[in-house]
Amino acid sequence: MIEISKMSFSYAGSKTPVFSNFSLSVGTGRVCGLLGKNGTGKTTLLYLMAGLLRPRQGSVTMGGVETARRRVETLREMFLVPEEFYLPDISLDAYVRANAPFYPRFSREVLDSCLADFGLEGRLRLGSLSMGQKKKAYMSFALAAGTRLVLMDEPTNGLDIPSKSTFRRVVARCMTDVRTLVISTHQVHDVESLLDHLVIISTSGLLLDASAADICARYSFGLRQPGEPQDGVVYSEPTPQGDAVIARRSGGDPETQPNLELLFNAIAGGRIGREDFSGGKEARP
C-alpha cells in the first residue's frame, strides 16, 4: 500500500532532519498504529504519506506512484483526518454534495450508519456542532469515502469515553481486506484492540515495525506480585495491583492481550529492540 524508501526530510530553515534514510512498508488490509514521543515526526510522516509534504531525498509511494505528485487516481484512494481541521458552516447534505464526487466508492449508507452509531442522526449543520461532534462527522465521512488508505492523526482526542468505544466499533466494521488504516496516537489504550500492526519511531529512526501477531507470539503481558518468580521478564513497571510485566513466551504460555503503553516504554528504554523481531539481525533504519 505505502512504500517509503530511503526517505529524508527536513523543514525549510531547519538544520535538523526529521527523517534521514528512513524506510518503511505498510501493507494492505492493516490497521497500523504509529507511535512515538512528541517531536519524533508522527504527523510529518502522515503528511508525507498523503503527499502534502515532499521528501528531500528518497521516495514515498502508494501503489508505485509518488504521493507528492498528487495525481487524481492517487488522491481519490486516500483520506487524511488531521488532528485539527476546519468544516464550513453548511449542512451535511451540502458538504456531501460538494465532496463525495471526488471519491468513486463513497457510500451515503455507510456515512449514515457511522453517524447513527455516534448519535448524530438527522439534519446536521456542521458549523453548529461541538469539536467532538465535528470530529465524529469528519471521521464518518472519511470512512464512507471508501478509499483504500485512511490516515488519522490523534482520532480519539476530544472524544468522550462512550464515543471512543463507538469509534473502535465503527472502524472495525468499515475495515476490509483491501483497505489500510494508519492511526497516529498517544492514546494507545483507546485503539490497542484495533491494531494488527505497530510502528514506533524516534528521532533516530525506526524502533519497531512488527505485527500484533508477532508481538503476541514472542511476549506475554500480565501482572506479577512481589515475590513471584521473574523468569523471562524483560521489562516491568510497578502498579497498585502489582508489577506490570513483559515476559518472553515459552511454548506452553497462553497468548495475552498486549499492553502497548508498556511495550512502548520497554522499546523506548532499549529493553526490547528491532532485532528481537528480525531473527537476531538488526534491520536497517
Side-chain angles (χ1 to χ4, degrees), residues 78-123:
M78 64 167 62
F79 200 106
L80 170 66
V81 180
E83 183 177 7
E84 298 180 0
F85 54 86
Y86 166 79
L87 290 179
D89 187 14
I90 59 176
S91 70
L92 175 65
D93 288 342
Y95 186 85
V96 170
R97 286 195 300 270
N99 291 279
F102 293 108
Y103 304 100
R105 291 187 298 278
F106 178 85
S107 169
R108 183 63 195 243
E109 181 181 354
V110 171
L111 174 61
D112 290 341
S113 176
C114 293
L115 291 172
D117 284 342
F118 281 123
L120 293 177
E121 298 175 272
R123 294 183 177 273

Side-chain angles (χ1 to χ4, degrees), residues 32-284:
C32 177
L34 176 60
L35 309 183
K37 295 181 180 179
N38 291 335
T40 54
K42 300 186 299 301
T43 296
T44 299
L45 187 57
L46 291 185
Y47 277 61
L48 284 159
M49 289 180 180
L52 294 172
L53 295 174
R54 183 184 297 271
R56 306 291 183 185
Q57 295 178 339
S59 62
V60 182
T61 61
M62 177 180 171
V65 178
E66 291 190 13
T67 59
R69 300 182 70 176
R70 305 288 287 170
R71 287 186 172 180
V72 170
E73 58 267 31
T74 303
L75 295 178
R76 67 188 182 188
E77 291 294 350
M78 64 167 62
F79 200 106
L80 170 66
V81 180
E83 183 177 7
E84 298 180 0
F85 54 86
Y86 166 79
L87 290 179
D89 187 14
I90 59 176
S91 70
L92 175 65
D93 288 342
Y95 186 85
V96 170
R97 286 195 300 270
N99 291 279
F102 293 108
Y103 304 100
R105 291 187 298 278
F106 178 85
S107 169
R108 183 63 195 243
E109 181 181 354
V110 171
L111 174 61
D112 290 341
S113 176
C114 293
L115 291 172
D117 284 342
F118 281 123
L120 293 177
E121 298 175 272
R123 294 183 177 273
L124 300 178
R125 189 160 189 89
L126 300 180
S128 64
L129 300 177
S130 69
M131 192 60 235
Q133 290 173 322
K134 288 180 180 179
K135 176 161 277 191
K136 296 172 190 177
Y138 198 48
M139 290 192 297
S140 296
F141 186 92
L143 294 170
T147 58
R148 293 179 58 210
L149 176 65
V150 182
L151 307 169
M152 292 188 175
D153 194 6
E154 300 291 352
T156 59
N157 277 4
L159 299 185
D160 55 27
I161 292 174
S163 297
K164 292 179 180 181
S165 177
T166 301
F167 168 77
R168 293 190 292 270
R169 184 171 68 252
V170 166
V171 167
R173 188 178 68 236
C174 292
M175 281 301 297
T176 68
D177 290 340
V178 296
R179 173 174 254 183
T180 297
L181 174 61
V182 180
I183 300 176
S184 171
T185 184
H186 291 104
Q187 312 297 327
V188 290
H189 290 311
D190 291 346
V191 299
E192 61 186 359
S193 63
L194 274 176
L195 305 180
D196 54 30
H197 200 88
L198 192 65
V199 170
I200 298 178
I201 62 175
S202 74
T203 53
S204 63
L206 189 62
L207 296 183
L208 181 70
D209 176 16
S211 69
D214 198 5
I215 292 169
C216 291
R218 294 169 183 265
Y219 296 100
S220 63
F221 300 79
L223 289 171
R224 296 194 185 183
Q225 300 302 319
E228 285 190 53
Q230 300 297 303
D231 298 344
V233 172
V234 295
Y235 183 76
S236 67
E237 291 181 1
T239 75
Q241 295 77 34
D243 289 339
V245 303
I246 303 175
R248 296 189 185 278
R249 282 186 67 193
S250 60
D253 292 338
E255 186 174 296
T256 59
Q257 176 71 29
N259 181 329
L260 295 188
E261 183 176 314
L262 196 67
L263 179 64
F264 176 87
N265 291 339
I267 291 171
R271 302 298 297 273
I272 297 175
R274 289 179 63 197
E275 65 275 10
D276 294 297
F277 295 91
S278 55
K281 183 178 179 180
E282 177 70 14
R284 186 175 58 184

